[in-house]
Amino acid sequence: MKGNKPNAGKISKNRRKKLIYCYIFILPQLALFLAFTIYPIIMSYVYSFFNWSGYGSLSNFIGLENYAETISDPFFWNAFKNSFIFMFFVVLVQVPLALLIAILLNSSWLKGATVYRTIYFLPVVTTTAVIGIVMRFIFGAYKGLINEMLLAVGILDKPVDWLGSMDTAMMIIILVGIWKTFGMKMVYWLAALQSLPKELFEAAKVDGANWLQTFRYVMFPLLLPVGSVILLLSSVNALHVFDLVKSMTNGGPAFHTDMVDLYIYRYAFEGGGMPRAGFASAAGVVYGFAILFVSLILGIVVKKTGGKQSSH
């Protein structure tokens, strides 16, 4: 036993050395995370209790007045409603459609699948603000590409102000939002599909199951846990839309496409005069709790679907 002690000590020393190197490599990332994520989150709670413009010291403590003003502001609830409308329709269309496209691209008979995947994923890596500016020209009221095409084929008699009309502005924002992040959801589904055991599909084929039966009784139950995670990620991401709306409509017309992120930005950096960073922080905290509530509900769904899957 005594002869093993030096060897045990040597292993412990080597392990300690590896751990030190690990912490050294993690330290820069941890420092950035604390400085640019944790610290701003904590300070946003602090700022929300002050009438603070973003300049100078925190001296004018007003307690819960910013929260009371936020909750009583109809423009906040308008932006709140628009944010959830955007999230609902983007997720409703994007998640199942991305699954169908992923199934198609995962098919062995499809030629050039890599090219199609690249085409679908290109909008994801394209700067959102640039897409917004381009879409303003495409959906422009005069000399816009969509109007020119529809006028040429006789569908329209006169140009339509797609982004300047209350009837169409939100619809266009939602459609562009679906297209912009569609490729990411498709990649999620592709990763899930490629992890499924092929033996189950071969067994279903031998048993005479058609495609619909295979999807319903084999593929769907296996994809359900991953699908609930995709639903969670898609919902939370869709509730944070800023640069697309800022570059396309800036919340117009008449705040009809205003979102909470844009509402917070407006008070924090514009304010029509002196910015109101304290009030913007309070609005951000209220909206943050709303997103947390949605995340908890969807988190329960993730846990339940994962539990059902594991029990089988």
Side-chain angles (χ1 to χ4, degrees), residues 152-167:
V153 297
I155 296 177
L156 293 179
D157 296 327
K158 59 181 180 179
V160 175
D161 191 0
W162 300 98
L163 297 177
S165 171
M166 293 183 183
D167 297 326

Side-chain angles (χ1 to χ4, degrees), residues 85-100:
I85 289 174
F86 178 85
M87 181 271 289
F88 177 78
F89 284 104
V90 167
V91 173
L92 181 67
V93 175
Q94 195 178 68
V95 172
L97 184 60
L99 172 59
L100 294 177

Side-chain angles (χ1 to χ4, degrees), residues 23 25-40:
Y23 284 118
F25 283 112
I26 292 174
L27 189 60
Q29 179 67 23
L30 179 62
L32 292 173
F33 178 73
L34 291 173
F36 296 103
T37 302
I38 299 301
Y39 177 76

Side-chain angles (χ1 to χ4, degrees), residues 47-52 60-73 263 276 278-280 282-283 286:
Y47 298 150
S48 67
F49 295 105
F50 289 84
N51 183 17
W52 187 55
N60 191 1
F61 179 81
I62 58 173
L64 298 176
E65 289 185 21
N66 283 328
Y67 289 98
E69 185 179 351
T70 298
I71 295 173
S72 62
D73 185 8
Y263 174 92
R276 300 183 61 193
F279 178 77
V286 173

Side-chain angles (χ1 to χ4, degrees), residues 170-192:
M170 178 62 81
M171 179 185 68
I172 300 301
I173 292 288
I174 290 171
L175 289 176
V176 175
I178 292 170
W179 172 76
K180 172 67 176 73
T181 57
F182 181 85
M184 182 59 70
K185 311 309 179 298
M186 182 198 68
V187 168
Y188 290 158
W189 283 121
L190 273 172

